[in-house]
């Protein structure tokens, strides 16, 4: 059902230890189809409380394979988080669960330097 029937995966430059006031992380969708519009969603979960701290969305039109996209980070207090990246195909009328291409969860510790 996905463009060219390819499997997608997500890679990120987000390190497991992130300095406070980091402005952005880079995310690439591997296996994207050129000419297709995608959504990248980053959910930031606070590990201590288990609550969703922030959600950031970026949409883009795939121009070439593996292009990296910058996701701006909100100011975060120091502490342990789970960064959950999800990639969706942006197709009119496609249900979210059908549009979902890939998920990457990464534990990230925000530290004051």
């Amino acid at each position: 059902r996905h463009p060219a029937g390819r499997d997608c995966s997500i890679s990120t430059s987000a390190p497991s230890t992130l300095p406070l006031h980091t402005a952005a992380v880079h995310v690439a969708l591997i296996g994207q189809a050129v000419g297709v519009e995608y959504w990248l969603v980053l959910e930031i979960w606070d590990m201590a409380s288990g609550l969703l701290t922030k959600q950031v969305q970026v949409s883009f039109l795939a121009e070439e394979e593996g292009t990296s996209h910058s996701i701006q980070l909100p100011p975060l207090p120091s502490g342990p988080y789970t960064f959950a990246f999800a990639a969706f195909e942006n197709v009119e009328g496609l249900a979210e669960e059908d549009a979902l291409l890939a998920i990457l969860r990464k534990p990230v510790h925000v530290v004051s330097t």
Side-chain angles (χ1 to χ4, degrees):
R1 285 229 329 108
H2 298 307
R6 292 196 284 181
D7 288 327
C8 285
S9 63
I10 298 169
S11 71
T12 178
S13 69
S16 3
T17 304
L18 200 64
L20 210 57
H21 312 304
T22 301
V25 291
H26 292 282
V27 182
L29 183 59
I30 313 300
Q32 64 189 14
V34 175
V36 174
E37 190 174 359
Y38 294 96
W39 280 100
L40 277 175
V41 179
L42 166 58
E43 290 182 346
I44 301 173
W45 293 84
D46 184 320
M47 278 192 201
S49 67
L51 297 174
L52 179 62
T53 306
K54 191 77 180 159
Q55 187 178 49
V56 188
Q57 294 186 338
V58 178
S59 71
F60 67 94
L61 186 66
E63 289 166 2
E64 56 187 69
E65 173 69 44
T67 313
S68 181
H69 303 277
S70 181
I71 294 186
Q72 298 304 121
L73 293 180
L76 293 169
S78 55
Y81 296 90
T82 298
F83 280 23
F85 299 93
F88 295 90
E89 206 179 324
N90 190 5
V91 176
E92 193 78 28
L94 198 58
E96 190 171 289
E97 58 270 16
D98 295 330
L100 179 64
L101 296 171
I103 294 179
L104 172 68
R105 288 185 180 85
K106 182 171 181 116
V108 174
H109 207 102
V110 176
V111 292
S112 50
T113 44

